Amino acid sequence: MYCRNCGKEIKDDAVFCQFCGCEVGEVVVKTNNNVNVTWKVFARIAKVLGIVCLATSPLLGGFDAIPGIVFAKLGMKSTDPAVYEEAKVALRNNIAALIISSVILTLFFVAYIAIIFIAAENGGL
Ligand SMILES: [Zn+2]
């Protein structure tokens, strides 16, 4: 395994890292477990929100992507690489949803302004 503190490779049954002296192994894993479950739940929520937001953000203006970004950021605090990776993908999806809807909203806004100008030019307003 690798030391959580300095990242160097250490023996799997080591309790202390022989390089930096940081406590590793069972003790750390056990105390982190409850927290990791929380991060895992947050990562899962972020994943679902990311998928939902990608589908609905253009309609909702992208604001629905913000909770997903927050949950994904929290999920990325997990020391479990699988949960971290899941949260990272969810973060990417939520940010993508936010960007896509921002672009669409901007296009709508530009089109709206253009229509008003054209209407004004033609004496319609
Ligand atoms: Zn270390």
Side-chain angles (χ1 to χ4, degrees):
M1 66 176 174
Y2 295 91
C3 171
R4 286 169 207 279
N5 187 47
C6 67
K8 291 203 172 94
E9 189 164 12
I10 48 175
K11 282 182 201 158
D12 283 343
D13 58 352
V15 178
F16 292 95
C17 170
Q18 74 240 48
F19 300 100
C20 69
C22 176
E23 201 173 358
V24 288
E26 280 304 298
V27 185
V28 175
V29 171
K30 269 179 187 157
T31 49
N32 275 346
N33 256 353
N34 280 341
V35 183
N36 264 339
V37 167
T38 310
W39 299 145
K40 193 175 180 177
V41 170
F42 285 164
R44 196 55 53 85
I45 293 170
K47 186 184 183 183
V48 173
L49 284 174
I51 293 163
V52 171
C53 289
L54 273 178
T56 63
S57 263
L59 305 171
L60 298 172
F63 294 111
D64 55 335
I66 291 165
I69 290 171
V70 173
F71 278 120
K73 281 277 185 196
L74 290 172
M76 283 170 74
K77 286 178 185 282
S78 173
T79 50
D80 182 339
V83 174
Y84 177 85
E85 201 50 43
E86 187 178 343
K88 204 169 136 188
V89 171
L91 181 68
R92 214 176 297 151
N93 285 343
N94 279 294
I95 289 174
L98 191 64
I99 292 170
I100 290 167
S101 41
S102 305
V103 169
I104 289 174
L105 266 187
T106 308
L107 289 177
F108 268 116
F109 185 70
V110 169
Y112 178 71
I113 298 291
I115 287 167
I116 287 176
F117 267 105
I118 291 165
E121 285 285 308
N122 296 327
L125 287 179

